[in-house]
Amino acid sequence: MTETEQKSNINMESKTTPEASVSLEGYKESNIKKARLQSTLAALLEDPILSDVPKKPTLSDVDALLSLEFGSAMRINVVKLDATSLDVALMNSATVKDLKLAIKKKVNEMEQSKMGHRHISWKHVWGNFCLSYHNEKLLDDNAAVEEYGIRNNSQVHFVPCVASKGSRRHSKRRRHRFFHGLSKRM
């Protein structure tokens, strides 16, 4: 190497070393800020006032909870077949499909926090069960939940149903025919 190349290498080394230390300090500083933010967020989520906020809230979760506080959304209690229940928040203009999606999201979130990843076949769930409010089945996914009389703090139940293939309407007759057909074969 020539003398000029050695000098330029020395200059380059002296220039990169302070920059590397600055970026290292910035990295440490950003990690400290993230750790502080995470601990503050964890402390806020443990507050009883914010108990209805999910552990990893999305913007739509926060929006629904704010709408609930301002009265433009409703909280619906969903009673499962094992008599346990869960609460979901929906906009007042929500449809039955929105209710089903909120239930799916809430159940998946609960299962994830309890057991890790567990797959639930929602096609099977909605094919064999439906929601009911005051003994009226919520069969039309496009109907607004308010059309069924569902308001804030209403209670919706899961009930067993089977959809017939032709009309996609739920009926118990198909299930009866299925089991009746099995007994004839034996």
Side-chain angles (χ1 to χ4, degrees), residues 100 122-131 137-141 159-179:
K100 288 180 177 182
W122 288 99
K123 184 177 180 179
H124 173 77
V125 170
W126 299 124
N128 293 296
F129 302 96
C130 60
L131 298 171
K137 294 176 183 173
L138 312 179
L139 299 176
D140 183 9
D141 282 350
V159 293
C161 302
V162 177
S164 62
K165 286 185 180 179
S167 65
R168 290 204 28 98
R169 304 287 296 176
H170 290 270
S171 72
K172 292 185 181 179
R173 295 297 306 158
R174 179 173 157 213
R175 183 172 40 174
H176 174 72
R177 285 192 311 266
F178 174 75
F179 289 117

PDB file of all heavy atoms in Angstrom, residues 100 122-131 137-141 159-179:
ATOM      1  N   LYS A 100     -70.907 -12.662  13.997  1.00  0.00           N
ATOM      2  CA  LYS A 100     -70.193 -13.931  13.889  1.00  0.00           C
ATOM      3  C   LYS A 100     -68.685 -13.713  13.816  1.00  0.00           C
ATOM      4  O   LYS A 100     -67.906 -14.441  14.446  1.00  0.00           O
ATOM      5  CB  LYS A 100     -70.668 -14.718  12.667  1.00  0.00           C
ATOM      6  CG  LYS A 100     -72.059 -15.294  12.821  1.00  0.00           C
ATOM      7  CD  LYS A 100     -72.459 -16.048  11.566  1.00  0.00           C
ATOM      8  CE  LYS A 100     -73.816 -16.703  11.701  1.00  0.00           C
ATOM      9  NZ  LYS A 100     -74.178 -17.463  10.493  1.00  0.00           N
ATOM     10  N   TRP A 122     -64.484 -23.010  11.860  1.00  0.00           N
ATOM     11  CA  TRP A 122     -65.673 -22.160  11.964  1.00  0.00           C
ATOM     12  C   TRP A 122     -66.718 -22.559  10.941  1.00  0.00           C
ATOM     13  O   TRP A 122     -67.913 -22.356  11.162  1.00  0.00           O
ATOM     14  CB  TRP A 122     -65.290 -20.687  11.859  1.00  0.00           C
ATOM     15  CG  TRP A 122     -64.582 -20.271  13.106  1.00  0.00           C
ATOM     16  CD1 TRP A 122     -63.235 -20.160  13.295  1.00  0.00           C
ATOM     17  CD2 TRP A 122     -65.187 -19.988  14.367  1.00  0.00           C
ATOM     18  NE1 TRP A 122     -62.977 -19.818  14.593  1.00  0.00           N
ATOM     19  CE2 TRP A 122     -64.162 -19.704  15.266  1.00  0.00           C
ATOM     20  CE3 TRP A 122     -66.508 -19.954  14.815  1.00  0.00           C
ATOM     21  CZ2 TRP A 122     -64.405 -19.364  16.594  1.00  0.00           C
ATOM     22  CZ3 TRP A 122     -66.752 -19.620  16.138  1.00  0.00           C
ATOM     23  CH2 TRP A 122     -65.712 -19.335  17.013  1.00  0.00           C
ATOM     24  N   LYS A 123     -66.306 -23.159   9.840  1.00  0.00           N
ATOM     25  CA  LYS A 123     -67.274 -23.672   8.866  1.00  0.00           C
ATOM     26  C   LYS A 123     -68.118 -24.765   9.528  1.00  0.00           C
ATOM     27  O   LYS A 123     -69.342 -24.815   9.359  1.00  0.00           O
ATOM     28  CB  LYS A 123     -66.541 -24.209   7.640  1.00  0.00           C
ATOM     29  CG  LYS A 123     -67.452 -24.680   6.546  1.00  0.00           C
ATOM     30  CD  LYS A 123     -66.669 -25.132   5.326  1.00  0.00           C
ATOM     31  CE  LYS A 123     -67.614 -25.601   4.243  1.00  0.00           C
ATOM     32  NZ  LYS A 123     -66.909 -26.029   3.043  1.00  0.00           N
ATOM     33  N   HIS A 124     -67.469 -25.619  10.299  1.00  0.00           N
ATOM     34  CA  HIS A 124     -68.189 -26.666  11.025  1.00  0.00           C
ATOM     35  C   HIS A 124     -69.098 -26.058  12.097  1.00  0.00           C
ATOM     36  O   HIS A 124     -70.246 -26.485  12.258  1.00  0.00           O
ATOM     37  CB  HIS A 124     -67.194 -27.638  11.663  1.00  0.00           C
ATOM     38  CG  HIS A 124     -67.838 -28.651  12.561  1.00  0.00           C
ATOM     39  ND1 HIS A 124     -68.513 -29.738  12.068  1.00  0.00           N
ATOM     40  CD2 HIS A 124     -67.937 -28.714  13.908  1.00  0.00           C
ATOM     41  CE1 HIS A 124     -68.993 -30.444  13.083  1.00  0.00           C
ATOM     42  NE2 HIS A 124     -68.662 -29.839  14.212  1.00  0.00           N
ATOM     43  N   VAL A 125     -68.570 -25.076  12.828  1.00  0.00           N
ATOM     44  CA  VAL A 125     -69.364 -24.445  13.889  1.00  0.00           C
ATOM     45  C   VAL A 125     -70.634 -23.844  13.317  1.00  0.00           C
ATOM     46  O   VAL A 125     -71.743 -24.118  13.788  1.00  0.00           O
ATOM     47  CB  VAL A 125     -68.542 -23.357  14.631  1.00  0.00           C
ATOM     48  CG1 VAL A 125     -69.420 -22.542  15.557  1.00  0.00           C
ATOM     49  CG2 VAL A 125     -67.397 -24.000  15.408  1.00  0.00           C
ATOM     50  N   TRP A 126     -70.502 -23.021  12.280  1.00  0.00           N
ATOM     51  CA  TRP A 126     -71.685 -22.347  11.728  1.00  0.00           C
ATOM     52  C   TRP A 126     -72.555 -23.304  10.921  1.00  0.00           C
ATOM     53  O   TRP A 126     -73.720 -23.029  10.678  1.00  0.00           O
ATOM     54  CB  TRP A 126     -71.288 -21.135  10.898  1.00  0.00           C
ATOM     55  CG  TRP A 126     -70.555 -20.105  11.718  1.00  0.00           C
ATOM     56  CD1 TRP A 126     -69.331 -19.591  11.453  1.00  0.00           C
ATOM     57  CD2 TRP A 126     -70.992 -19.484  12.936  1.00  0.00           C
ATOM     58  NE1 TRP A 126     -68.971 -18.696  12.439  1.00  0.00           N
ATOM     59  CE2 TRP A 126     -69.981 -18.614  13.357  1.00  0.00           C
ATOM     60  CE3 TRP A 126     -72.130 -19.596  13.737  1.00  0.00           C
ATOM     61  CZ2 TRP A 126     -70.068 -17.848  14.513  1.00  0.00           C
ATOM     62  CZ3 TRP A 126     -72.218 -18.825  14.889  1.00  0.00           C
ATOM     63  CH2 TRP A 126     -71.197 -17.969  15.273  1.00  0.00           C
ATOM     64  N   GLY A 127     -72.003 -24.440  10.500  1.00  0.00           N
ATOM     65  CA  GLY A 127     -72.811 -25.431   9.805  1.00  0.00           C
ATOM     66  C   GLY A 127     -73.687 -26.254  10.750  1.00  0.00           C
ATOM     67  O   GLY A 127     -74.710 -26.790  10.341  1.00  0.00           O
ATOM     68  N   ASN A 128     -73.278 -26.365  12.012  1.00  0.00           N
ATOM     69  CA  ASN A 128     -74.004 -27.185  12.975  1.00  0.00           C
ATOM     70  C   ASN A 128     -74.682 -26.391  14.093  1.00  0.00           C
ATOM     71  O   ASN A 128     -75.502 -26.937  14.826  1.00  0.00           O
ATOM     72  CB  ASN A 128     -73.065 -28.218  13.605  1.00  0.00           C
ATOM     73  CG  ASN A 128     -72.615 -29.228  12.582  1.00  0.00           C
ATOM     74  OD1 ASN A 128     -73.422 -29.972  12.052  1.00  0.00           O
ATOM     75  ND2 ASN A 128     -71.328 -29.233  12.275  1.00  0.00           N
ATOM     76  N   PHE A 129     -74.303 -25.133  14.238  1.00  0.00           N
ATOM     77  CA  PHE A 129     -74.868 -24.302  15.291  1.00  0.00           C
ATOM     78  C   PHE A 129     -75.234 -22.947  14.707  1.00  0.00           C
ATOM     79  O   PHE A 129     -74.660 -22.510  13.719  1.00  0.00           O
ATOM     80  CB  PHE A 129     -73.860 -24.106  16.429  1.00  0.00           C
ATOM     81  CG  PHE A 129     -73.404 -25.395  17.028  1.00  0.00           C
ATOM     82  CD1 PHE A 129     -72.229 -25.991  16.608  1.00  0.00           C
ATOM     83  CD2 PHE A 129     -74.154 -26.028  17.998  1.00  0.00           C
ATOM     84  CE1 PHE A 129     -71.801 -27.182  17.148  1.00  0.00           C
ATOM     85  CE2 PHE A 129     -73.738 -27.228  18.543  1.00  0.00           C
ATOM     86  CZ  PHE A 129     -72.563 -27.810  18.117  1.00  0.00           C
ATOM     87  N   CYS A 130     -76.179 -22.299  15.331  1.00  0.00           N
ATOM     88  CA  CYS A 130     -76.520 -20.939  14.922  1.00  0.00           C
ATOM     89  C   CYS A 130     -76.771 -20.114  16.173  1.00  0.00           C
ATOM     90  O   CYS A 130     -76.818 -20.638  17.288  1.00  0.00           O
ATOM     91  CB  CYS A 130     -77.718 -20.915  13.980  1.00  0.00           C
ATOM     92  SG  CYS A 130     -79.231 -21.589  14.659  1.00  0.00           S
ATOM     93  N   LEU A 131     -76.901 -18.831  15.986  1.00  0.00           N
ATOM     94  CA  LEU A 131     -77.172 -17.933  17.094  1.00  0.00           C
ATOM     95  C   LEU A 131     -78.669 -17.731  17.225  1.00  0.00           C
ATOM     96  O   LEU A 131     -79.398 -17.745  16.236  1.00  0.00           O
ATOM     97  CB  LEU A 131     -76.469 -16.589  16.861  1.00  0.00           C
ATOM     98  CG  LEU A 131     -74.943 -16.665  16.788  1.00  0.00           C
ATOM     99  CD1 LEU A 131     -74.374 -15.332  16.325  1.00  0.00           C
ATOM    100  CD2 LEU A 131     -74.359 -17.056  18.130  1.00  0.00           C
ATOM    101  N   LYS A 137     -83.925 -17.695  15.582  1.00  0.00           N
ATOM    102  CA  LYS A 137     -82.604 -17.987  15.037  1.00  0.00           C
ATOM    103  C   LYS A 137     -82.157 -16.858  14.114  1.00  0.00           C
ATOM    104  O   LYS A 137     -82.931 -16.380  13.290  1.00  0.00           O
ATOM    105  CB  LYS A 137     -82.629 -19.317  14.293  1.00  0.00           C
ATOM    106  CG  LYS A 137     -82.881 -20.481  15.221  1.00  0.00           C
ATOM    107  CD  LYS A 137     -82.993 -21.777  14.473  1.00  0.00           C
ATOM    108  CE  LYS A 137     -83.317 -22.905  15.428  1.00  0.00           C
ATOM    109  NZ  LYS A 137     -83.584 -24.149  14.723  1.00  0.00           N
ATOM    110  N   LEU A 138     -80.908 -16.482  14.253  1.00  0.00           N
ATOM    111  CA  LEU A 138     -80.326 -15.426  13.419  1.00  0.00           C
ATOM    112  C   LEU A 138     -79.720 -16.090  12.185  1.00  0.00           C
ATOM    113  O   LEU A 138     -78.548 -16.411  12.150  1.00  0.00           O
ATOM    114  CB  LEU A 138     -79.259 -14.655  14.201  1.00  0.00           C
ATOM    115  CG  LEU A 138     -79.632 -14.176  15.607  1.00  0.00           C
ATOM    116  CD1 LEU A 138     -78.467 -13.450  16.256  1.00  0.00           C
ATOM    117  CD2 LEU A 138     -80.853 -13.292  15.569  1.00  0.00           C
ATOM    118  N   LEU A 139     -80.543 -16.314  11.170  1.00  0.00           N
ATOM    119  CA  LEU A 139     -80.128 -17.095  10.003  1.00  0.00           C
ATOM    120  C   LEU A 139     -79.630 -16.250   8.839  1.00  0.00           C
ATOM    121  O   LEU A 139     -78.840 -16.714   8.030  1.00  0.00           O
ATOM    122  CB  LEU A 139     -81.287 -17.982   9.542  1.00  0.00           C
ATOM    123  CG  LEU A 139     -81.773 -18.999  10.571  1.00  0.00           C
ATOM    124  CD1 LEU A 139     -82.977 -19.745  10.043  1.00  0.00           C
ATOM    125  CD2 LEU A 139     -80.660 -19.948  10.947  1.00  0.00           C
ATOM    126  N   ASP A 140     -80.102 -15.020   8.725  1.00  0.00           N
ATOM    127  CA  ASP A 140     -79.726 -14.168   7.605  1.00  0.00           C
ATOM    128  C   ASP A 140     -78.481 -13.366   7.978  1.00  0.00           C
ATOM    129  O   ASP A 140     -78.541 -12.440   8.786  1.00  0.00           O
ATOM    130  CB  ASP A 140     -80.881 -13.231   7.254  1.00  0.00           C
ATOM    131  CG  ASP A 140     -80.590 -12.370   6.040  1.00  0.00           C
ATOM    132  OD1 ASP A 140     -79.569 -12.601   5.363  1.00  0.00           O
ATOM    133  OD2 ASP A 140     -81.394 -11.457   5.771  1.00  0.00           O
ATOM    134  N   ASP A 141     -77.344 -13.739   7.377  1.00  0.00           N
ATOM    135  CA  ASP A 141     -76.086 -13.064   7.697  1.00  0.00           C
ATOM    136  C   ASP A 141     -76.090 -11.590   7.326  1.00  0.00           C
ATOM    137  O   ASP A 141     -75.356 -10.799   7.912  1.00  0.00           O
ATOM    138  CB  ASP A 141     -74.917 -13.750   6.986  1.00  0.00           C
ATOM    139  CG  ASP A 141     -74.482 -15.025   7.678  1.00  0.00           C
ATOM    140  OD1 ASP A 141     -74.956 -15.278   8.809  1.00  0.00           O
ATOM    141  OD2 ASP A 141     -73.666 -15.757   7.099  1.00  0.00           O
ATOM    142  N   VAL A 159     -77.268 -22.238  19.561  1.00  0.00           N
ATOM    143  CA  VAL A 159     -78.207 -23.354  19.581  1.00  0.00           C
ATOM    144  C   VAL A 159     -77.828 -24.322  18.464  1.00  0.00           C
ATOM    145  O   VAL A 159     -77.330 -23.913  17.425  1.00  0.00           O
ATOM    146  CB  VAL A 159     -79.689 -22.894  19.417  1.00  0.00           C
ATOM    147  CG1 VAL A 159     -80.143 -22.100  20.620  1.00  0.00           C
ATOM    148  CG2 VAL A 159     -79.876 -22.103  18.154  1.00  0.00           C
ATOM    149  N   PRO A 160     -78.062 -25.615  18.664  1.00  0.00           N
ATOM    150  CA  PRO A 160     -77.740 -26.578  17.610  1.00  0.00           C
ATOM    151  C   PRO A 160     -78.690 -26.440  16.425  1.00  0.00           C
ATOM    152  O   PRO A 160     -79.893 -26.329  16.614  1.00  0.00           O
ATOM    153  CB  PRO A 160     -77.908 -27.936  18.272  1.00  0.00           C
ATOM    154  CG  PRO A 160     -78.294 -27.695  19.671  1.00  0.00           C
ATOM    155  CD  PRO A 160     -78.502 -26.245  19.881  1.00  0.00           C
ATOM    156  N   CYS A 161     -78.150 -26.413  15.246  1.00  0.00           N
ATOM    157  CA  CYS A 161     -78.925 -26.341  14.002  1.00  0.00           C
ATOM    158  C   CYS A 161     -78.134 -27.048  12.910  1.00  0.00           C
ATOM    159  O   CYS A 161     -76.934 -27.165  12.993  1.00  0.00           O
ATOM    160  CB  CYS A 161     -79.129 -24.913  13.535  1.00  0.00           C
ATOM    161  SG  CYS A 161     -79.948 -23.837  14.671  1.00  0.00           S
ATOM    162  N   VAL A 162     -78.832 -27.449  11.884  1.00  0.00           N
ATOM    163  CA  VAL A 162     -78.173 -28.020  10.713  1.00  0.00           C
ATOM    164  C   VAL A 162     -78.788 -27.356   9.498  1.00  0.00           C
ATOM    165  O   VAL A 162     -80.010 -27.254   9.392  1.00  0.00           O
ATOM    166  CB  VAL A 162     -78.345 -29.554  10.653  1.00  0.00           C
ATOM    167  CG1 VAL A 162     -77.712 -30.116   9.405  1.00  0.00           C
ATOM    168  CG2 VAL A 162     -77.742 -30.197  11.884  1.00  0.00           C
ATOM    169  N   ALA A 163     -77.965 -26.905   8.576  1.00  0.00           N
ATOM    170  CA  ALA A 163     -78.462 -26.245   7.371  1.00  0.00           C
ATOM    171  C   ALA A 163     -78.804 -27.284   6.325  1.00  0.00           C
ATOM    172  O   ALA A 163     -78.045 -28.213   6.078  1.00  0.00           O
ATOM    173  CB  ALA A 163     -77.428 -25.286   6.820  1.00  0.00           C
ATOM    174  N   SER A 164     -79.963 -27.131   5.718  1.00  0.00           N
ATOM    175  CA  SER A 164     -80.310 -28.025   4.616  1.00  0.00           C
ATOM    176  C   SER A 164     -79.578 -27.543   3.376  1.00  0.00           C
ATOM    177  O   SER A 164     -79.330 -26.362   3.210  1.00  0.00           O
ATOM    178  CB  SER A 164     -81.817 -28.046   4.398  1.00  0.00           C
ATOM    179  OG  SER A 164     -82.273 -26.762   4.055  1.00  0.00           O
ATOM    180  N   LYS A 165     -79.216 -28.454   2.496  1.00  0.00           N
ATOM    181  CA  LYS A 165     -78.396 -28.096   1.338  1.00  0.00           C
ATOM    182  C   LYS A 165     -79.120 -27.198   0.357  1.00  0.00           C
ATOM    183  O   LYS A 165     -78.544 -26.249  -0.152  1.00  0.00           O
ATOM    184  CB  LYS A 165     -77.925 -29.352   0.619  1.00  0.00           C
ATOM    185  CG  LYS A 165     -76.850 -30.084   1.349  1.00  0.00           C
ATOM    186  CD  LYS A 165     -76.357 -31.254   0.529  1.00  0.00           C
ATOM    187  CE  LYS A 165     -75.268 -31.989   1.271  1.00  0.00           C
ATOM    188  NZ  LYS A 165     -74.780 -33.132   0.534  1.00  0.00           N
ATOM    189  N   GLY A 166     -80.376 -27.469   0.101  1.00  0.00           N
ATOM    190  CA  GLY A 166     -81.094 -26.727  -0.925  1.00  0.00           C
ATOM    191  C   GLY A 166     -81.301 -25.261  -0.600  1.00  0.00           C
ATOM    192  O   GLY A 166     -80.942 -24.388  -1.374  1.00  0.00           O
ATOM    193  N   SER A 167     -81.813 -24.969   0.550  1.00  0.00           N
ATOM    194  CA  SER A 167     -82.161 -23.582   0.851  1.00  0.00           C
ATOM    195  C   SER A 167     -81.148 -22.889   1.740  1.00  0.00           C
ATOM    196  O   SER A 167     -81.255 -21.703   1.981  1.00  0.00           O
ATOM    197  CB  SER A 167     -83.526 -23.546   1.545  1.00  0.00           C
ATOM    198  OG  SER A 167     -83.427 -24.190   2.799  1.00  0.00           O
ATOM    199  N   ARG A 168     -80.157 -23.633   2.249  1.00  0.00           N
ATOM    200  CA  ARG A 168     -79.192 -23.113   3.218  1.00  0.00           C
ATOM    201  C   ARG A 168     -79.892 -22.561   4.453  1.00  0.00           C
ATOM    202  O   ARG A 168     -79.394 -21.689   5.126  1.00  0.00           O
ATOM    203  CB  ARG A 168     -78.283 -22.058   2.593  1.00  0.00           C
ATOM    204  CG  ARG A 168     -77.330 -22.632   1.598  1.00  0.00           C
ATOM    205  CD  ARG A 168     -76.081 -21.832   1.382  1.00  0.00           C
ATOM    206  NE  ARG A 168     -75.589 -21.022   2.453  1.00  0.00           N
ATOM    207  CZ  ARG A 168     -74.612 -21.380   3.302  1.00  0.00           C
ATOM    208  NH1 ARG A 168     -74.074 -22.563   3.218  1.00  0.00           N
ATOM    209  NH2 ARG A 168     -74.181 -20.546   4.214  1.00  0.00           N
ATOM    210  N   ARG A 169     -81.092 -23.050   4.698  1.00  0.00           N
ATOM    211  CA  ARG A 169     -81.818 -22.686   5.907  1.00  0.00           C
ATOM    212  C   ARG A 169     -81.548 -23.764   6.953  1.00  0.00           C
ATOM    213  O   ARG A 169     -81.425 -24.932   6.614  1.00  0.00           O
ATOM    214  CB  ARG A 169     -83.325 -22.572   5.648  1.00  0.00           C
ATOM    215  CG  ARG A 169     -83.728 -21.608   4.552  1.00  0.00           C
ATOM    216  CD  ARG A 169     -83.585 -20.187   4.924  1.00  0.00           C
ATOM    217  NE  ARG A 169     -84.516 -19.895   6.022  1.00  0.00           N
ATOM    218  CZ  ARG A 169     -84.573 -18.729   6.624  1.00  0.00           C
ATOM    219  NH1 ARG A 169     -83.792 -17.759   6.261  1.00  0.00           N
ATOM    220  NH2 ARG A 169     -85.426 -18.525   7.597  1.00  0.00           N
ATOM    221  N   HIS A 170     -81.512 -23.371   8.172  1.00  0.00           N
ATOM    222  CA  HIS A 170     -81.255 -24.333   9.238  1.00  0.00           C
ATOM    223  C   HIS A 170     -82.526 -25.101   9.574  1.00  0.00           C
ATOM    224  O   HIS A 170     -83.607 -24.542   9.640  1.00  0.00           O
ATOM    225  CB  HIS A 170     -80.750 -23.613  10.487  1.00  0.00           C
ATOM    226  CG  HIS A 170     -79.381 -23.078  10.313  1.00  0.00           C
ATOM    227  ND1 HIS A 170     -78.266 -23.811  10.614  1.00  0.00           N
ATOM    228  CD2 HIS A 170     -78.932 -21.890   9.852  1.00  0.00           C
ATOM    229  CE1 HIS A 170     -77.199 -23.097  10.361  1.00  0.00           C
ATOM    230  NE2 HIS A 170     -77.572 -21.929   9.896  1.00  0.00           N
ATOM    231  N   SER A 171     -82.373 -26.395   9.755  1.00  0.00           N
ATOM    232  CA  SER A 171     -83.509 -27.201  10.180  1.00  0.00           C
ATOM    233  C   SER A 171     -82.994 -28.408  10.944  1.00  0.00           C
ATOM    234  O   SER A 171     -81.873 -28.863  10.733  1.00  0.00           O
ATOM    235  CB  SER A 171     -84.319 -27.668   8.977  1.00  0.00           C
ATOM    236  OG  SER A 171     -83.621 -28.662   8.276  1.00  0.00           O
ATOM    237  N   LYS A 172     -83.805 -28.903  11.826  1.00  0.00           N
ATOM    238  CA  LYS A 172     -83.424 -30.100  12.570  1.00  0.00           C
ATOM    239  C   LYS A 172     -83.817 -31.350  11.795  1.00  0.00           C
ATOM    240  O   LYS A 172     -83.388 -32.438  12.122  1.00  0.00           O
ATOM    241  CB  LYS A 172     -84.080 -30.085  13.947  1.00  0.00           C
ATOM    242  CG  LYS A 172     -83.525 -28.985  14.821  1.00  0.00           C
ATOM    243  CD  LYS A 172     -84.095 -29.044  16.209  1.00  0.00           C
ATOM    244  CE  LYS A 172     -83.518 -27.912  17.040  1.00  0.00           C
ATOM    245  NZ  LYS A 172     -84.038 -27.899  18.384  1.00  0.00           N
ATOM    246  N   ARG A 173     -84.635 -31.216  10.781  1.00  0.00           N
ATOM    247  CA  ARG A 173     -85.109 -32.367  10.018  1.00  0.00           C
ATOM    248  C   ARG A 173     -83.956 -33.089   9.330  1.00  0.00           C
ATOM    249  O   ARG A 173     -83.945 -34.310   9.270  1.00  0.00           O
ATOM    250  CB  ARG A 173     -86.150 -31.938   8.968  1.00  0.00           C
ATOM    251  CG  ARG A 173     -87.425 -31.390   9.535  1.00  0.00           C
ATOM    252  CD  ARG A 173     -88.180 -32.417  10.357  1.00  0.00           C
ATOM    253  NE  ARG A 173     -88.413 -33.642   9.600  1.00  0.00           N
ATOM    254  CZ  ARG A 173     -88.644 -34.801  10.161  1.00  0.00           C
ATOM    255  NH1 ARG A 173     -88.659 -34.936  11.468  1.00  0.00           N
ATOM    256  NH2 ARG A 173     -88.851 -35.862   9.414  1.00  0.00           N
ATOM    257  N   ARG A 174     -83.018 -32.363   8.779  1.00  0.00           N
ATOM    258  CA  ARG A 174     -81.929 -33.009   8.061  1.00  0.00           C
ATOM    259  C   ARG A 174     -81.129 -33.898   9.012  1.00  0.00           C
ATOM    260  O   ARG A 174     -80.778 -35.024   8.676  1.00  0.00           O
ATOM    261  CB  ARG A 174     -81.027 -31.962   7.439  1.00  0.00           C
ATOM    262  CG  ARG A 174     -79.861 -32.566   6.696  1.00  0.00           C
ATOM    263  CD  ARG A 174     -79.077 -31.506   5.956  1.00  0.00           C
ATOM    264  NE  ARG A 174     -77.741 -32.014   5.736  1.00  0.00           N
ATOM    265  CZ  ARG A 174     -76.670 -31.293   5.707  1.00  0.00           C
ATOM    266  NH1 ARG A 174     -76.748 -30.000   5.874  1.00  0.00           N
ATOM    267  NH2 ARG A 174     -75.486 -31.817   5.503  1.00  0.00           N
ATOM    268  N   ARG A 175     -80.859 -33.391  10.199  1.00  0.00           N
ATOM    269  CA  ARG A 175     -80.109 -34.178  11.159  1.00  0.00           C
ATOM    270  C   ARG A 175     -80.918 -35.427  11.543  1.00  0.00           C
ATOM    271  O   ARG A 175     -80.384 -36.512  11.646  1.00  0.00           O
ATOM    272  CB  ARG A 175     -79.795 -33.341  12.389  1.00  0.00           C
ATOM    273  CG  ARG A 175     -78.947 -34.091  13.384  1.00  0.00           C
ATOM    274  CD  ARG A 175     -78.471 -33.250  14.498  1.00  0.00           C
ATOM    275  NE  ARG A 175     -79.480 -32.326  14.947  1.00  0.00           N
ATOM    276  CZ  ARG A 175     -79.353 -31.547  15.990  1.00  0.00           C
ATOM    277  NH1 ARG A 175     -78.248 -31.586  16.689  1.00  0.00           N
ATOM    278  NH2 ARG A 175     -80.306 -30.729  16.352  1.00  0.00           N
ATOM    279  N   HIS A 176     -82.217 -35.261  11.716  1.00  0.00           N
ATOM    280  CA  HIS A 176     -83.075 -36.388  12.054  1.00  0.00           C
ATOM    281  C   HIS A 176     -83.052 -37.430  10.935  1.00  0.00           C
ATOM    282  O   HIS A 176     -82.929 -38.627  11.195  1.00  0.00           O
ATOM    283  CB  HIS A 176     -84.505 -35.899  12.309  1.00  0.00           C
ATOM    284  CG  HIS A 176     -85.485 -37.011  12.529  1.00  0.00           C
ATOM    285  ND1 HIS A 176     -85.497 -37.757  13.692  1.00  0.00           N
ATOM    286  CD2 HIS A 176     -86.453 -37.519  11.727  1.00  0.00           C
ATOM    287  CE1 HIS A 176     -86.446 -38.665  13.602  1.00  0.00           C
ATOM    288  NE2 HIS A 176     -87.050 -38.543  12.422  1.00  0.00           N
ATOM    289  N   ARG A 177     -83.139 -36.964   9.692  1.00  0.00           N
ATOM    290  CA  ARG A 177     -83.113 -37.890   8.564  1.00  0.00           C
ATOM    291  C   ARG A 177     -81.784 -38.631   8.500  1.00  0.00           C
ATOM    292  O   ARG A 177     -81.718 -39.802   8.191  1.00  0.00           O
ATOM    293  CB  ARG A 177     -83.353 -37.137   7.256  1.00  0.00           C
ATOM    294  CG  ARG A 177     -84.788 -36.723   7.039  1.00  0.00           C
ATOM    295  CD  ARG A 177     -85.025 -36.251   5.620  1.00  0.00           C
ATOM    296  NE  ARG A 177     -84.051 -35.278   5.154  1.00  0.00           N
ATOM    297  CZ  ARG A 177     -84.228 -33.957   5.219  1.00  0.00           C
ATOM    298  NH1 ARG A 177     -85.316 -33.452   5.733  1.00  0.00           N
ATOM    299  NH2 ARG A 177     -83.312 -33.155   4.760  1.00  0.00           N
ATOM    300  N   PHE A 178     -80.701 -37.941   8.807  1.00  0.00           N
ATOM    301  CA  PHE A 178     -79.378 -38.562   8.761  1.00  0.00           C
ATOM    302  C   PHE A 178     -79.294 -39.708   9.760  1.00  0.00           C
ATOM    303  O   PHE A 178     -78.927 -40.826   9.427  1.00  0.00           O
ATOM    304  CB  PHE A 178     -78.289 -37.527   9.054  1.00  0.00           C
ATOM    305  CG  PHE A 178     -76.917 -38.121   9.156  1.00  0.00           C
ATOM    306  CD1 PHE A 178     -76.239 -38.515   8.010  1.00  0.00           C
ATOM    307  CD2 PHE A 178     -76.313 -38.298  10.381  1.00  0.00           C
ATOM    308  CE1 PHE A 178     -74.983 -39.075   8.090  1.00  0.00           C
ATOM    309  CE2 PHE A 178     -75.061 -38.863  10.475  1.00  0.00           C
ATOM    310  CZ  PHE A 178     -74.387 -39.247   9.328  1.00  0.00           C
ATOM    311  N   PHE A 179     -79.657 -39.457  11.018  1.00  0.00           N
ATOM    312  CA  PHE A 179     -79.584 -40.499  12.031  1.00  0.00           C
ATOM    313  C   PHE A 179     -80.623 -41.588  11.791  1.00  0.00           C
ATOM    314  O   PHE A 179     -80.381 -42.752  12.061  1.00  0.00           O
ATOM    315  CB  PHE A 179     -79.724 -39.896  13.430  1.00  0.00           C
ATOM    316  CG  PHE A 179     -78.504 -39.107  13.841  1.00  0.00           C
ATOM    317  CD1 PHE A 179     -78.596 -37.761  14.090  1.00  0.00           C
ATOM    318  CD2 PHE A 179     -77.266 -39.726  13.958  1.00  0.00           C
ATOM    319  CE1 PHE A 179     -77.489 -37.035  14.444  1.00  0.00           C
ATOM    320  CE2 PHE A 179     -76.144 -39.011  14.314  1.00  0.00           C
ATOM    321  CZ  PHE A 179     -76.249 -37.657  14.565  1.00  0.00           C
TER     322      PHE A 179
END
